[in-house]
């Protein structure tokens, strides 16, 4: 019990300092849990999420790394109101102080960044409802069938339109409240109408899950329901994917400043410094979001003052954050570089800061996923699905592509085509339910 | 008071991660079974030098989605200062062939799942997969032999068979429980003895006569195939026989007995006379391995490019070998060249049930060859 009291004292002090700095966060709920639980949450993204073997795989990987002492998650924080943070059992007091300080940064970010404005803050409950529904389906239709279907749905889970409808639907909701009569929905698009409109409009649709969920003729109701559940969960995760560098940088910025205000003993200070440098270690083959985010925020503060960083945390996402605030001086100081495969070797190919900035922006576009859209849901007047990859200079992994198309086929029930660029040529990949083919356009 | 709550719940019933992990592992085992032909010929196993547990890198069960080609993508990284254009960060990891390499851990991109499998386990999966019934000893070869197996520990026994480790452990346990001062005092009741069981086992010996063409046309790849084949053959026969010996015979125009290392590495140039190695095999059997006492398995790898004048004699000698061996096998490794008059054609005249002939095109062919060879032995 002693430990909890110490922790409570520390949290109280930290919260006071955070408020003093002007952070504005949700009420906090800290839970201390054993490693398996933290790693479960890490793998699933949410403690209450549905079951699938891919999460089991992620869990095993994290768990092994923890067991071999290769890496540790000290904390996990969830964008909800109140904001839940899970602390690893066995953390030392200093570790916990750092984590708590860090988490206050995240909570402030969740509450204030524009991209999180429309996230469902009751997602813990929503996801547990989803998980229960999926359990019911497994019971009713068979575990294997549901797993197989989830395999297919999850294979295109990132292809949603995260901000689709947010503006329209919001105003719609307002109208419902204003009108408040049983026929109010006459004013709004129903799913059926939307289906018709989609057919007629022929505008590219980014929301693969939504389009297939509404328009596929081969799905049963429970399958449509599952598609929309997965889609809703991805919509919830999207802002986090979109602000990874900012969010971690912001939290790191604040944990450093809050820790400085605490009265640490010499030993504690050393432990903190060690831990901090582990978190902020540069990574040769990728970008450490904690470090890059922190350095950019510090640089913004240096140039424009502290108020400016609060403004940036409110309106930017990683793409604009990098595009607007990564400077030549920073790229130099951080020793950033672009690298690629030359022959059999990974070699540094560019050091110019503009090239680095542009490459980062490119790789962060659409949260790092290829941008794929539906051009036609009735291709060849035969109900076939025509997808197009918006090529922006990076080719798709063909091996993966040819293994993903059958999943899409499973959802659509008719031949599926994907247009992309390979070796500067436009190529159309097709899967017709039996075999693959490709042709140059 | 701050606006927060700190709590500690009981999570002991939360098993979701573990359950889904098991489901994933189940899928991995299924994948091992499915990819057995490739896994069997994995270098990590064949070059393991007798280690019991080896790590077989298995591509984890992928969940496919549309993604960028990692190898064609430009990435951004961060150095410790002073990085220059042209600096090499690392070498390519895992090429398509072989498919492993230490680089996998260093560079991102491909996701390997390191499954820890013992060779025994793999052998078992292999047997299961080959659908071989449990291997039996052939009754005619049985010479009953009493064997002793120390596999029990008792309180009474001959002092010469004392189990020191167990005895000391018992003494420590007793002394600790009693809180006695001298932890190392051993009394009569601590003594533990190893005890044996008598077992009637058929004395069974097997000899593998490994023969390989070492002429110029047999390159490292062909040797690797042969090596993989013999590796598993030994493992499987060991399950059946108490002792398994292996004799290595290498030949071009002439044949000689060589060491294992020479067998798999040395190459000669020049032509090929396969009859030379069959003759040598017959001689060795005659002098060292009485067919009454040994189960003989002869297997020959060649690319089939034999001197055509020698073919007839080969046929004759293989028929001789068939009289003394349980099984005689011939594996022809198909090279890039096409020979019209290969040995294979000649051997197709043999119609003994104990003769097995297979052609191997790649590593995966080893599995087929083993299958063909072992089916005959049931």
């Amino acid at each position: 019990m002693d430990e909890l009291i110490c922790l409570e004292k520390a949290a109280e002090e930290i919260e006071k300092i955070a408020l003093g700095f002007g952070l504005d966060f949700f009420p906090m709920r800290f839970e201390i849990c054993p490693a398996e639980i933290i790693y479960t949450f890490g793998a699933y993204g949410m403690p209450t999420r549905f079951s699938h073997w891919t999460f089991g795989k992620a869990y095993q990987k994290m768990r092994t790394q923890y067991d071999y002492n290769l890496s540790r998650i000290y904390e996990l924080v969830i964008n909800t109101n109140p904001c839940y943070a899970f602390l690893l059992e066995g953390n030392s007091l200093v570790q916990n102080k750092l984590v708590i300080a860090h988490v206050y940064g995240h909570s402030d970010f969740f509450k204030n960044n524009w991209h999180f404005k429309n996230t469902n803050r009751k997602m813990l409950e929503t996801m547990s409802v989803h998980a229960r529904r999926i359990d019911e389906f497994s019971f009713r239709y068979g575990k294997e069938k549901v797993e197989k279907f989830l395999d297919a749905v999850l294979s295109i889970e990132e292809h949603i339109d995260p901000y689709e409808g947010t503006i329209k639907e919001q105003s719609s909701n307002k109208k419902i409240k204003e009108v408040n009569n049983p026929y109010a929905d006459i004013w709004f698009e129903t799913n059926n109408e939307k289906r018709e409109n989609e057919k007629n409009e022929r505008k590219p649709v980014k929301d693969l899950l939504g389009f297939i969920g509404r328009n596929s003729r081969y799905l049963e109701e429970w399958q449509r329901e599952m598609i929309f559940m997965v889609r809703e969960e991805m919509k919830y995760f999207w802002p986090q994917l979109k602000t990874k560098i900012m969010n971690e940088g912001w939290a790191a910025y604040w944990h450093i400043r809050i820790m400085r205000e605490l009265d640490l003993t010499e030993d504690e200070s050393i432990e903190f410094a060690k831990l901090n440098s582990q978190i902020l270690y540069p990574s040769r083959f990728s970008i450490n979001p904690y470090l890059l985010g922190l350095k950019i925020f510090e640089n913004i503060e240096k140039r424009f003052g502290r108020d400016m960083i609060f403004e940036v945390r409110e309106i930017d996402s990683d793409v604009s954050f990098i595009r607007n605030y990564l400077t030549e001086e920073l790229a130099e100081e951080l020793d950033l570089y672009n690298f690629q495969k030359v022959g059999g070797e990974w070699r540094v190919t560019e050091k110019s800061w503009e090239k680095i900035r542009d490459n980062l922006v490119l790789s962060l576009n659409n949260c790092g996923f290829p941008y794929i859209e539906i051009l036609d849901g009735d291709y060849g007047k035969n109900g076939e699905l025509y997808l197009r990859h918006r090529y922006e200079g990076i080719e798709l992994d063909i091996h993966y592509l040819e293994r993903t198309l059958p999943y899409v086929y499973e959802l659509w029930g008719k031949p599926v085509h994907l247009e992309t660029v390979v070796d500067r040529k436009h190529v159309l990949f097709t899967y017709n339910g039996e075999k693959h083919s490709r042709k140059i356009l | 008071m701050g606006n927060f709550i700190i709590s500690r719940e009981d999570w002991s019933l939360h098993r979701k991660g573990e359950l889904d992990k098991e489901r994933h592992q189940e899928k991995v085992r299924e994948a091992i079974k499915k990819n057995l032909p490739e896994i069997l010929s994995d270098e990590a196993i064949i070059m393991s030098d007798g280690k019991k547990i080896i790590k077989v890198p298995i591509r984890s069960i992928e969940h496919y989605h549309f993604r960028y080609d990692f190898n064609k993508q430009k990435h951004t990284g961060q150095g410790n200062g002073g990085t220059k254009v042209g600096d090499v960060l690392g070498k390519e990891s895992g090429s398509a062939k072989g498919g492993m390499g230490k680089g996998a851990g260093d560079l991102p991109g491909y996701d390997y799942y390191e499954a820890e499998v013992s060779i025994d386990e793999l052998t078992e999966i292999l047997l299961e997969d080959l659908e071989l019934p449990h291997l039996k000893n052939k009754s005619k070869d049985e010479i009953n032999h009493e064997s002793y197996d120390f596999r029990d520990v008792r309180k009474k026994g001959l002092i010469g068979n004392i189990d020191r480790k167990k005895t000391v452990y018992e003494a420590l346990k007793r002394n600790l429980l009693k809180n006695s001062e001298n932890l190392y005092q051993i009394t009569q009741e601590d003594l533990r003895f190893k005890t044996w069981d008598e077992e009637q086992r058929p004395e069974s010996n097997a000899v593998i006569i490994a023969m390989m063409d070492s002429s110029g046309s047999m390159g490292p790849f062909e040797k690797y195939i042969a090596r993989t084949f013999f590796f598993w053959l030994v493992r499987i026969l060991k399950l059946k026989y108490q002792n398994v010996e292996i004799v290595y015979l290498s030949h071009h125009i002439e044949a000689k007995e060589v060491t294992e290392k020479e067998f798999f590495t040395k190459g000669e140039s020049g032509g090929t006379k396969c009859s030379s190695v069959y003759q040598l095999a017959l001689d060795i059997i005659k002098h060292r391995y009485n067919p009454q006492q040994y189960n003989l398995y002869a297997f020959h790898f060649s690319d089939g490019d034999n001197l055509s004048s020698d073919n007839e004699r080969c046929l004759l000698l293989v028929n001789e070998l068939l009289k003394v061996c349980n099984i005689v096998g011939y594996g022809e490794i198909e090279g890039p060249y096409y020979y019209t008059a290969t040995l294979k054609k000649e051997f197709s005249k043999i119609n003994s049930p104990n003769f097995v002939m297979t052609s191997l095109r790649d590593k995966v062919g080893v599995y087929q060859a083993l299958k063909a060879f072992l089916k005959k032995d049931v």
Side-chain angles (χ1 to χ4, degrees):
Chain A
M1 242 20 235
D2 249 6
E3 193 196 337
L4 273 187
I5 292 168
C6 278
L7 217 53
E8 256 166 37
K9 262 180 75 185
E12 206 175 323
E13 201 184 345
I14 290 167
E15 189 170 293
K16 222 182 270 165
I17 297 168
L19 283 169
F21 276 129
L23 294 184
D24 166 31
F25 37 81
F26 292 126
M28 296 302 303
R29 300 281 180 272
F30 295 104
E31 293 221 13
I32 301 166
C33 1
E36 307 93 88
I37 300 302
I38 291 251
Y39 287 91
T40 308
F41 297 169
Y44 290 71
M46 195 68 138
T48 51
R49 217 170 173 198
F50 61 85
S51 290
H52 191 249
W53 62 269
T54 46
F55 302 137
K57 175 182 155 186
Y59 165 75
Q60 184 177 14
K61 201 169 163 188
M62 290 184 180
R63 193 60 220 279
T64 316
Q65 289 188 329
Y66 170 79
D67 288 345
Y68 287 133
N69 233 338
L70 289 172
S71 81
R72 268 181 98 150
I73 307 179
Y74 296 98
E75 132 277 338
L76 223 123
V77 59
I78 290 180
N79 166 32
T80 48
N81 182 13
C83 175
Y84 281 87
F86 300 89
L87 309 175
L88 179 60
E89 195 167 70
N91 275 357
S92 70
L93 187 59
V94 179
Q95 283 173 337
N96 273 332
K97 283 179 182 172
L98 186 154
V99 165
I100 291 171
H102 190 82
V103 163
Y104 274 102
H106 281 311
S107 185
D108 167 271
F109 196 89
F110 289 148
K111 190 173 171 189
N112 293 288
N113 183 276
W114 181 85
H115 298 272
F116 287 84
K117 274 281 177 289
N118 292 303
T119 48
N120 175 355
R121 312 282 186 182
K122 297 270 169 257
M123 205 55 187
L124 265 172
E125 290 79 7
T126 307
M127 284 201 185
S128 87
V129 170
H130 289 174
R132 255 198 319 261
R133 279 301 274 165
I134 291 178
D135 278 348
E136 274 172 42
F137 295 152
S138 298
F139 184 73
R140 210 176 315 158
Y141 305 107
K143 257 191 156 130
E144 298 236 326
K145 198 168 174 190
V146 171
E147 181 186 271
K148 215 173 141 251
F149 187 71
L150 262 181
D151 285 354
V153 179
L154 291 176
S155 78
I156 53 165
E157 64 172 338
E158 59 273 29
H159 301 284
I160 59 164
D161 189 351
Y163 300 105
E164 172 237 28
T166 43
I167 293 161
K168 241 198 269 170
E169 272 166 29
Q170 237 182 7
S171 55
S172 302
N173 285 339
K174 257 187 216 147
K175 269 193 217 158
I176 292 180
K177 271 182 206 149
E178 281 162 20
V179 181
N180 198 19
N181 77 53
Y183 305 108
D185 61 345
I186 206 165
W187 300 103
F188 314 114
E189 234 179 12
T190 62
N191 258 349
N192 276 335
E193 283 161 4
K194 191 157 192 166
R195 205 177 291 174
E196 281 310 303
N197 290 346
E198 267 172 352
K199 265 191 202 152
N200 301 332
E201 268 179 39
R202 298 235 161 176
K203 262 203 246 158
V205 178
K206 182 179 188 298
D207 182 12
L208 264 60
L209 280 183
F211 187 93
I212 290 173
R214 276 189 299 273
N215 297 299
S216 168
R217 283 184 243 166
Y218 294 83
L219 298 177
E220 293 172 40
E221 267 324 298
W222 66 273
Q223 293 175 313
R224 291 185 209 279
E225 196 181 328
M226 258 167 67
I227 290 182
F228 282 100
M229 289 193 286
V230 169
R231 177 168 170 265
E232 191 184 350
E233 296 190 3
M234 184 43 90
K235 266 194 173 178
Y236 166 81
F237 286 120
W238 195 266
Q240 292 176 42
L241 297 170
K242 218 179 156 166
T243 56
K244 179 96 181 133
I245 296 172
M246 283 184 77
N247 204 342
E248 293 301 358
W250 185 251
Y253 177 93
W254 288 110
H255 83 232
I256 292 171
R257 272 140 195 92
I258 291 169
M259 291 301 279
R260 266 186 215 150
E261 299 294 316
L262 292 177
D263 221 0
L264 298 180
T265 64
E266 202 184 317
D267 284 351
E268 285 180 321
S269 301
I270 292 170
E271 195 187 342
F272 163 65
K274 245 185 176 165
L275 207 59
N276 200 43
S277 66
Q278 273 169 25
I279 297 170
L280 299 174
Y281 195 76
S283 154
R284 291 166 68 218
F285 293 106
S286 58
I287 284 300
N288 176 349
Y290 296 81
L291 179 56
L292 184 63
L294 167 75
K295 291 291 177 185
I296 294 180
F297 272 120
E298 285 180 344
N299 189 265
I300 296 171
E301 187 186 17
K302 199 173 84 188
R303 292 193 293 154
F304 307 104
R306 186 164 277 185
D307 286 350
M308 185 64 175
I309 60 171
F310 279 91
E311 198 179 311
V312 168
R313 77 96 156 75
E314 198 167 321
I315 59 177
D316 277 292
S317 70
D318 283 350
V319 168
S320 57
F321 186 61
I322 300 289
R323 193 190 286 134
N324 296 335
Y325 302 110
L326 180 69
T327 61
E328 181 169 12
E329 177 200 355
L330 260 177
E332 183 71 22
E333 182 199 324
L334 295 174
D335 192 23
L336 299 179
Y337 48 75
N338 288 341
F339 67 98
Q340 63 193 111
K341 204 157 118 184
V342 184
E345 288 172 339
W346 290 98
R347 212 179 277 172
V348 175
T349 49
E350 283 162 348
K351 278 288 287 176
S352 121
W353 75 278
E354 283 127 321
K355 290 266 169 65
I356 292 162
R357 179 195 63 195
D358 293 348
N359 189 55
L360 272 174
V361 168
L362 185 66
S363 65
L364 291 166
N365 260 343
N366 197 36
C367 294
F369 303 121
Y371 194 113
I372 291 179
E373 55 196 2
I374 295 174
L375 286 195
D376 196 345
D378 189 22
Y379 183 65
K381 292 269 175 286
N382 190 29
E384 298 177 10
L385 190 66
Y386 194 103
L387 308 173
R388 180 178 63 185
H389 164 221
R390 266 205 216 167
Y391 179 72
E392 287 161 322
I394 316 171
E395 289 184 14
L396 296 182
D397 184 328
I398 308 285
H399 180 80
Y400 265 59
L401 189 167
E402 292 202 313
R403 276 155 189 79
T404 311
L405 283 181
Y407 284 132
V408 186
Y409 178 88
E410 211 178 308
L411 300 173
W412 189 249
K414 282 269 190 177
V416 181
H417 312 268
L418 174 72
E419 181 188 329
T420 184
V421 174
V422 182
D423 291 331
R424 301 213 178 123
K425 288 190 217 62
H426 286 262
V427 181
L428 187 66
F429 289 85
T430 299
Y431 181 72
N432 68 2
E434 279 163 12
K435 58 181 194 328
H436 290 276
S437 58
R438 50 176 104 166
K439 69 170 183 218
I440 294 171
L441 297 173
Chain B
M1 264 316 271
N3 189 11
F4 64 84
I5 297 170
I6 300 183
S7 60
R8 188 199 296 263
E9 310 270 318
D10 179 10
W11 292 100
S12 54
L13 288 176
H14 199 103
R15 302 236 318 126
K16 194 192 294 213
E18 289 294 326
L19 290 175
D20 283 341
K21 177 183 122 183
E22 272 163 33
R23 177 71 190 117
H24 173 238
Q25 279 175 331
E26 216 173 276
K27 289 179 88 80
V28 170
R29 274 192 297 273
E30 280 165 26
I32 292 183
K33 258 191 152 166
K34 231 159 101 199
N35 298 315
L36 209 49
E38 280 102 43
I39 293 170
L40 285 187
S41 47
D42 195 302
E43 273 175 70
I45 301 174
I46 310 307
M47 306 303 182
S48 65
D49 286 331
K51 265 183 265 160
K52 278 254 162 109
I53 297 224
I54 35 110
K55 276 195 173 182
V56 191
I58 292 162
R59 268 291 186 85
S60 62
I61 312 298
E62 292 296 333
H63 186 236
Y64 295 101
H65 48 119
F66 298 120
R67 67 170 198 187
Y68 291 124
D69 188 334
F70 188 85
N71 287 322
K72 287 188 178 174
Q73 215 175 338
K74 203 194 295 174
H75 307 269
T76 303
Q78 184 177 0
N80 290 315
T83 306
K84 290 183 299 297
V85 170
D87 286 359
V88 174
L89 300 173
K91 295 236 187 299
E92 183 179 11
S93 61
S95 57
K97 234 202 209 165
M100 76 208 64
K102 273 168 63 198
D106 200 13
L107 283 167
Y110 285 115
D111 204 10
Y112 279 93
Y113 176 83
E114 288 250 304
E116 217 168 69
V117 200
S118 73
I119 292 184
D120 290 346
E121 238 173 295
L122 264 182
T123 314
E124 231 162 75
I125 297 179
L126 174 65
L127 285 179
E128 213 176 285
D129 198 66
L130 293 174
E131 289 170 13
L132 295 176
H134 211 70
L135 294 172
K136 294 183 297 237
N137 291 297
K138 283 183 190 161
S139 53
K140 69 164 181 158
D141 301 320
E142 271 178 25
I143 302 166
N144 273 337
H145 173 84
E146 246 173 36
S147 74
Y148 305 101
D149 205 5
F150 283 95
R151 55 170 158 195
D152 200 4
V153 176
R154 292 178 198 165
K155 287 190 173 181
K156 292 206 161 51
L158 296 170
I159 202 75
N161 290 334
I162 195 161
D163 186 331
R164 289 202 187 107
K165 203 168 153 188
K166 289 259 161 56
T167 303
V168 170
Y169 178 73
E170 287 298 327
L172 281 172
K173 200 161 79 177
R174 187 180 46 76
N175 288 321
L176 276 167
L177 275 174
K178 282 200 314 199
N179 264 332
S180 63
E181 281 184 10
N182 183 4
L183 281 182
Y184 304 106
Q185 191 201 27
I186 296 172
T187 65
Q188 187 71 35
E189 59 181 304
D190 300 327
L191 298 181
R192 292 292 181 277
F193 301 91
K194 291 181 198 167
T195 316
W196 64 91
D197 279 342
E198 275 176 29
E199 220 190 336
Q200 294 287 331
R201 256 204 237 170
E203 169 77 359
S204 53
N205 298 309
V207 178
I208 298 171
I209 298 178
M211 298 175 279
M212 184 146 61
D213 185 346
S214 63
S215 64
S217 47
M218 294 283 286
F221 170 71
E222 284 79 6
K223 296 209 166 105
Y224 183 77
I225 285 187
R227 184 168 190 161
T228 307
F229 178 87
F230 287 121
F231 180 91
W232 289 108
L233 189 61
V234 171
R235 292 289 165 309
I236 289 171
L237 292 180
K238 270 191 178 157
L239 292 180
K240 186 173 172 179
Y241 300 106
Q242 244 176 350
N243 305 306
V244 179
E245 277 179 55
I246 180 160
V247 179
Y248 296 100
L249 309 179
S250 150
H251 75 97
H252 41 108
I253 292 181
E254 281 167 15
K256 62 176 177 229
E257 188 172 355
V258 295
T259 63
E260 179 181 354
K261 202 177 159 204
E262 287 167 336
F263 187 77
F264 290 117
T265 50
K266 268 202 180 155
E268 323 260 344
S269 51
T272 313
K273 244 167 104 181
C274 294
S275 64
S276 62
V277 80
Y278 301 142
Q279 185 60 59
L280 181 62
L282 284 167
D283 290 346
I284 286 177
I285 291 169
K286 196 171 157 200
H287 290 111
R288 298 199 332 232
Y289 304 109
N290 179 353
Q292 299 300 314
Q293 280 166 19
Y294 290 92
N295 294 281
L296 298 163
Y297 294 86
F299 208 96
H300 179 216
F301 277 104
S302 166
D303 59 5
D305 185 18
N306 198 35
L307 275 178
S308 38
S309 59
D310 185 52
N311 282 353
E312 207 173 313
R313 190 170 153 73
C314 285
L315 192 60
L316 199 82
L317 291 172
V318 166
N319 276 319
E320 286 302 306
L321 273 173
L322 277 166
K323 284 181 195 155
V324 290
C325 294
N326 293 28
I327 301 181
V328 177
Y330 172 68
E332 194 162 290
I333 301 170
E334 291 180 6
Y337 314 107
Y338 180 71
Y339 306 106
T340 40
T342 64
L343 253 186
K344 198 175 149 191
K345 213 168 173 187
E346 194 68 25
F347 284 160
S348 58
K349 293 176 195 157
I350 301 175
N351 69 23
S352 156
N354 297 336
F355 184 71
V356 188
M357 186 162 69
T358 51
S359 7
L360 298 89
R361 212 162 294 125
D362 46 29
K363 291 202 303 190
V364 178
V366 172
Y367 170 79
Q368 297 303 335
L370 276 170
K371 202 167 172 170
F373 196 60
L374 291 165
K375 272 259 154 80
K376 296 273 180 185
D377 197 35
V378 174

